[in-house]
Amino acid sequence: MSERRSVLITGASKGIGAATAERFMAADNGVTDLILLARESAEFTATQERLHAGNPHGKAIRPYYVDLADRARTVGVLKDVMAEVGRVDILVNNAGYTSPRAFQQVEFADFERTMAVNLYAPFTLVQELLHNGNTFELIVNIASTAGMAGRPGWLTYSASKAALITMSEVMKEELAIYGTRVVCISPGRCATDLRKTLAPDEDPTTIMQPEDVAGVIEMLTTDVGRFVDSRNLVVRL
Amino acid sequence: MRGRKLYSLILLNGGIGSRVAAGQPKQFVSVNGLPIIVYSLVAADAVDEIDEIILNYPEGWRDDVEKLVVDYAVRKPVTYAPAGATRHESVRSLLPLARNEHVLLHETARPLVTAADFRRLIASPHDNVSFMLPIPFTVAPVDPATGKVTGHLERDRLRNVQLPQKYRLSDLADAHAYAEANGLIFTEDGTLATVAGKDVYFLDGADRNFKVTTATDVRLAGFLLGGDDEGE
Ligand SMILES: NC(=O)c1ccc[n+]([C@@H]2O[C@H](COP(=O)([O-])OP(=O)(O)OC[C@H]3O[C@@H](n4cnc5c(N)ncnc54)[C@H](OP(=O)(O)O)[C@@H]3O)[C@@H](O)[C@H]2O)c1
């Protein structure tokens, strides 16, 4: 019997995902394998280098390069993950995409891309891993306060996050048969590239930092995290 | 793992009335959003001592049952076999497929079974054991032909027979051979094995683990499986 315990984090190249990977790297929490998903980029490489440089518990870092809007490729990568790592105990569906536009200017293809990355990818990750015989200890879906109330100019993003919140509620009920916990987190504004896209004029030093959200995600995997049972956990400054 | 007995789980599909099933096989009836069959499969999948599941499927629905097993991440090896005409016949025809000397018997119509139930049964020192419930009401023996009550039954000495149960395979096979030789048909195996001369024991079961037979039962099971019934 292997003593391995793995976490899979999507969107681990930067922002909240990278900060979460760093948290898991530093924590003495029995997690042995970090499975990191993003597209290939200089930022992703730099993040991996940072993780390797500070690895006090000798954890394995396993990067996988994939565009999560490409469902067929995503399914293939998940097969590789199962063949190479064998299990995903903790899944953090963090990758997110937005290109804010007023309703009148929304390109349908961009709406589809937003839904593909923010909603269908989390669905595909959970379903494909289940169909490969993997059951989870914990699934964390990163939605947004933008999914709790619509905001002008953010139609596609708000709609995708609202759907992710309700999808998480259903998952929480249905995956309870395996003892899987499902938690949806809705961060408020947080200093990352995505936020810069949404609010270009804001001073990032005045708002919540990626490490703060990462701290909440890691808390969910601790003993006390077991007691967090929320339909949608709002994290904001 | 040292010296631990391994069990084959025989999972039956009887129970639910065909009106509740509304045209589809009973094992696909949705309880709290999931096909009823899934609950027993997932509970059994979590029990280390169970190393195979023998599942009967209704004629023509094998592919659907196989797909459910994959979709719901059931990892134990599953052997598929067609259902018999009666429950009694199904059990008899499934017994030869079991590769272990010890078998567990369960039915998909009891979706509230837990992995802990299977483990409690396995932990009993006896070979042949059934969960049974005390009867909280009085049962009278009657003669339906004459409409007369014929006597008195002491309810302390009666039990409501539940599933899961466990058996030594050879004991259960002997019991079915005995029934065949004597032209007997039983609706459950604990009393059959007893009549055939085997020692059968009981453990107190839980009233939650009831058999879903009516539309009301489907709703009640859905409510209990919803998880918010524990009280605060
Ligand atoms: N920042 C906020 O104010 C805020 C508030 C609420 C919710 N959130 C949510 O938090 C999550 C993380 O975002 P962030 O703020 O940390 O933004 P970020 O720094 O821009 O990071 C976004 C991450 O998602 C990945 N990603 C985007 N599109 C992808 C695709 N097609 N395929 C694979 N990966 C893709 C990116 O990887 P690549 O390197 O491949 O681009 C990157 O790792 C998102 O779900 C976001 O909606 C953020």
Side-chain angles (χ1 to χ4, degrees), chain A residues 11 13 15-16 39 66-68 94-96 143 157 161 187-188 190 192 194:
Chain A
S13 58
I16 295 169
R39 290 165 295 185
V66 65
D67 180 347
L68 289 169
N94 163 78
Y157 184 67
K161 293 297 188 179
C190 175
T192 66
L194 184 133

Side-chain angles (χ1 to χ4, degrees), chain B residues 134-204:
Chain B
I135 297 186
F137 45 80
T138 301
V139 180
V142 297
D143 181 351
T146 60
K148 279 181 82 177
V149 177
T150 57
H152 165 73
L153 292 171
E154 251 180 89
R155 75 175 177 205
D156 287 354
R157 302 186 63 83
L158 292 169
R159 287 294 182 274
N160 170 357
V161 180
Q162 295 185 300
L163 288 170
Q165 302 173 342
K166 75 167 181 181
Y167 295 96
R168 180 177 279 275
L169 182 66
S170 50
D171 283 355
L172 192 52
D174 285 353
H176 276 270
Y178 173 89
E180 198 170 7
N182 293 280
L184 303 172
I185 300 279
F186 278 70
T187 54
E188 70 79 41
D189 296 271
T191 48
L192 161 59
T194 304
V195 168
K198 307 293 176 186
D199 287 335
V200 178
Y201 292 83
F202 68 90
L203 285 174
D204 279 344

Side-chain angles (χ1 to χ4, degrees), chain A residues 130-131 133 135 173-174 177-178, chain B residues 38-39 42 71-73 75:
Chain A
L130 266 177
H131 289 183
T135 52
E173 296 274 326
E174 294 194 353
I177 53 170
Y178 308 109
Chain B
V38 164
Y39 294 98
V42 169
D71 286 352
Y72 285 84
R75 285 161 293 199

Side-chain angles (χ1 to χ4, degrees), chain A residues 130-206:
Chain A
L130 266 177
H131 289 183
N132 280 283
N134 185 75
T135 52
F136 306 86
E137 173 188 324
L138 171 69
I139 297 170
V140 183
N141 293 331
I142 309 300
S144 169
T145 49
M148 297 158 61
R151 286 249 329 244
W154 295 8
L155 183 148
T156 56
Y157 184 67
S158 286
S160 72
K161 293 297 188 179
L164 182 59
I165 293 170
T166 42
M167 185 171 84
S168 303
E169 286 176 13
V170 179
M171 272 188 193
K172 174 168 150 48
E173 296 274 326
E174 294 194 353
L175 302 188
I177 53 170
Y178 308 109
T180 301
R181 288 184 298 134
V182 178
V183 182
C184 183
I185 293 186
S186 283
R189 51 203 191 129
C190 175
T192 66
D193 285 357
L194 184 133
R195 179 68 196 173
K196 253 179 248 154
T197 309
L198 287 170
D201 302 329
E202 187 176 63
D203 174 359
T205 62
T206 61

